Amino acid sequence: MDTSVENGMITRSDLPLRVINSSPDAIAKAKARARRSFRQIRTENVFKRTLTIMGLIIIILVLGIMVTLAWQSRLSIAALGPKYLWGKVWDPVQDVYGAWPFLLGTLLTSFLALIISVPFSVSIAIFLGEYHPKGWLPNFLKNAVELIAAVPSVIYGFWGLAVLVPIVRSFESSIGVEPVGVGIFSSSLILAVMIIPYAASLGRSMISLVPSHLKEAAYGLGATRWEVIRSVVLPYTKSGLFAGVLLSLGRALGETMAVTMVIGNTSLIPKNIFSPGNTMASVIANEFTEADKPVYLSALIELGLVLFLVTVVINLIGKKIIDRFTNE
């Protein structure tokens, strides 16, 4: 809206019939407000440009990581071709490299950990967000869950070797499985504990944002607490809960140290969930410093590229599912 000052009066060009008689103090205040508005507009433009630049930097970083991995693995791609993905043998001595055992181990450990952790994550989210949002016990539980995410993964690895592996070994003996202790199952249990905080924290935040009038309307119709959670809270927060699950899965796919210490580190295809195995991240951590041949090193870097692409594909699929939940 254009304004002008004439003979001690402020007029507005788009409202020619409206004239405001103003004193010099009022005119000075109006000019100050106009200058302040201009500064706010400039600040907002600068802030918008800053956000745009930061977003572009993130995109450039992601593309740069992918391009770097692809370039550094070019020797392996040229020498092995597509058969690298479904090759079942990994023997650096004979220059035979197949990523299928590690790809299978990564998917098994990650999805098994997700299956184990989701009931605990959702239960914690419902307890903290719906049943006991305030009080010393919810605060203690919330701090404990956040502490789980802050513990270094190597600590989980030591705990797994000292405590979890003997328990798993006893369990395997009781069900007639070879009592190895280390393997896919043990690493999945470690991962399940490590990824619980991500889905639980996001789920608790989403449940606390459910409008109270929706729940009050359900209670007014005679619904019980469980019926309100099942028919109101969970449908309202399903996209957020699934986003937390997807975040947990991404964390599980890339975990390295804890899994390396309890998975058994074998290049053979696991026969069952109790067998030793390897993940792509654990192979890279174990063998990267030992790669004494260019193709060997390139094959390890290509494992990183495959892990990167698997994570991207899973996240894109999850994003599509979240969008579908949101549109529903």
Side-chain angles (χ1 to χ4, degrees):
M1 185 180 297
D2 296 330
T3 61
S4 61
V5 180
E6 297 178 357
N7 299 325
M9 305 171 66
I10 297 178
T11 61
R12 301 182 181 181
S13 59
D14 59 340
L15 294 176
L17 298 179
R18 181 174 179 181
V19 179
I20 305 174
N21 294 316
S22 303
S23 63
D25 292 339
I27 295 173
K29 291 180 180 179
K31 292 181 178 179
R33 283 196 298 269
R35 287 193 296 269
R36 190 160 53 246
S37 299
F38 293 148
R39 285 196 299 269
Q40 291 173 349
I41 292 173
R42 287 195 298 269
T43 303
E44 183 177 354
N45 290 333
V46 171
F47 182 68
K48 182 179 178 180
R49 293 191 187 97
T50 303
L51 294 180
T52 303
I53 293 172
M54 293 178 68
L56 292 175
I57 290 174
I58 295 298
I59 294 175
I60 293 172
L61 285 175
V62 173
L63 293 177
I65 292 172
M66 185 177 67
V67 170
T68 301
L69 290 174
W71 177 255
Q72 294 294 330
S73 59
R74 66 189 185 279
L75 293 178
S76 175
I77 295 174
L80 304 175
K83 66 179 182 180
Y84 173 84
L85 294 176
W86 56 77
K88 298 180 181 180
V89 179
W90 182 272
D91 188 0
V93 177
Q94 302 296 329
D95 273 340
V96 178
Y97 306 99
W100 177 246
F102 314 132
L103 178 60
L104 183 61
T106 300
L107 296 178
L108 279 177
T109 54
S110 300
F111 281 96
L112 184 57
L114 194 67
I115 293 173
I116 296 172
S117 68
V118 163
F120 293 95
S121 300
V122 175
S123 300
I124 293 172
I126 293 175
F127 179 81
L128 295 178
E130 185 65 25
Y131 281 91
H132 295 284
K134 297 180 180 180
W136 70 269
L137 179 60
N139 290 333
F140 176 79
L141 181 58
K142 182 174 67 174
N143 293 331
V145 170
E146 294 174 352
L147 181 62
I148 291 176
V151 175
S153 61
V154 66
I155 303 300
Y156 283 108
F158 281 123
W159 175 78
L161 288 175
V163 178
L164 186 62
V165 169
I167 296 174
V168 173
R169 188 180 295 120
S170 300
F171 175 71
E172 291 172 344
S173 299
S174 65
I175 63 175
V177 179
E178 183 180 0
V180 179
V182 296
I184 300 292
F185 185 66
S186 298
S187 60
S188 298
L189 291 177
I190 291 288
L191 282 177
V193 175
M194 296 178 68
I195 65 178
I196 282 176
Y198 300 94
S201 299
L202 186 56
R204 178 187 61 83
S205 301
M206 295 299 300
I207 289 174
S208 63
L209 295 177
V210 176
S212 59
H213 66 270
L214 295 179
K215 296 185 288 186
E216 292 171 359
Y219 285 126
L221 294 174
T224 62
R225 175 68 67 86
W226 162 244
E227 289 173 339
V228 171
I229 293 174
R230 183 187 62 187
S231 303
V232 177
V233 175
L234 292 181
Y236 189 87
T237 60
K238 58 185 178 182
S239 61
L241 291 174
F242 188 83
V245 171
L246 186 64
L247 183 64
S248 300
L249 179 59
R251 177 71 175 85
L253 286 170
E255 177 53 40
T256 304
M257 186 53 66
V259 174
T260 302
M261 298 176 71
V262 298
I263 198 171
N265 300 312
T266 177
S267 299
L268 301 177
I269 297 178
K271 298 178 181 179
N272 52 59
I273 62 173
F274 298 103
S275 301
N278 240 333
T279 64
M280 290 183 281
S282 63
V283 171
I284 296 173
N286 281 324
E287 302 185 13
F288 194 80
T289 56
E290 301 174 1
D292 54 352
K293 291 178 287 188
V295 177
Y296 186 12
L297 180 60
S298 181
L300 289 174
I301 298 175
E302 189 176 357
L303 270 182
L305 177 63
V306 173
L307 179 58
F308 179 85
L309 294 177
V310 168
T311 305
V312 170
V313 170
I314 290 178
N315 278 273
L316 290 177
I317 295 174
K319 184 64 168 59
K320 292 294 183 181
I321 297 175
I322 292 174
D323 292 340
R324 182 177 178 181
F325 283 168
T326 303
N327 293 332
E328 290 178 356

